Amino acid sequence: MKKNIFSLMLPGIFLCIASNASASTVSVQHSMEKMSTSYRSMMKDNNLNAFKKDLSAFKQSAQTAQKTSLNDSGKAVFDEGMKKLLNEVDTIEQHAQTQNLNDVKAEAKKLRNIMEQYHSKLGV
């Protein structure tokens, strides 16, 4: 009887593990898509308040992606890239308090460079 219960539970356990791993990937992908949308909106904004709102959405998506637990070999590179990205967001937020929109957008272009650099490193 114990053997039968165990043999019935084993596939369920593997299914839970597999779905949890794929959920992490989906979550990261979803967060990255939201970051991309927010970035494009930021760069199109015509006033600083709209820019700040889109920057906040970008930051929130980046923080969500950062919290995702990845178990593959690219985890260290991913974590490094997310840390750099969020540090740059903090710098942009500081500039947004004292500078005009064009200057802040110039600083925000660094986000694109960081994203491209780490996408290349990670092969995505």
Side-chain angles (χ1 to χ4, degrees):
M1 180 72 170
K2 288 182 183 179
K3 231 180 194 183
N4 287 339
I5 293 172
F6 183 72
S7 64
L8 290 173
M9 289 177 50
L10 192 58
I13 292 169
F14 286 125
L15 183 60
C16 287
I17 292 169
S19 66
N20 194 18
S22 70
S24 295
T25 304
V26 170
S27 177
V28 169
Q29 182 179 358
H30 180 70
S31 295
M32 294 295 171
E33 289 169 358
K34 289 176 73 174
M35 287 168 55
S36 180
T37 299
S38 298
Y39 180 81
R40 284 192 306 270
S41 294
M42 277 189 310
M43 299 313 282
K44 290 179 184 177
D45 287 332
N46 293 321
N47 70 63
L48 200 52
N49 287 332
F51 180 91
K52 288 178 184 179
K53 181 180 175 188
D54 288 326
L55 180 62
S56 177
F58 180 93
K59 183 176 185 176
Q60 185 176 17
S61 296
Q63 289 171 331
T64 299
Q66 184 183 37
K67 292 175 187 173
T68 304
S69 60
L70 299 176
N71 296 322
D72 64 4
S73 60
K75 174 72 171 145
V77 174
F78 176 81
D79 289 345
E80 176 186 306
M82 293 308 296
K83 184 176 179 180
K84 278 188 178 180
L85 193 72
L86 287 166
N87 286 341
E88 181 59 27
V89 169
D90 290 342
T91 300
I92 295 165
E93 286 176 330
Q94 291 171 357
H95 285 154
Q97 300 305 318
T98 61
Q99 297 180 10
N100 69 42
L101 182 61
N102 290 332
D103 292 340
V104 175
K105 279 186 178 183
E107 185 68 29
K109 287 182 182 181
K110 292 179 183 178
L111 292 173
R112 173 58 62 196
N113 295 336
I114 295 168
M115 289 185 286
E116 288 174 356
Q117 176 187 4
Y118 282 89
H119 283 176
S120 177
K121 283 183 177 186
L122 291 166
V124 292

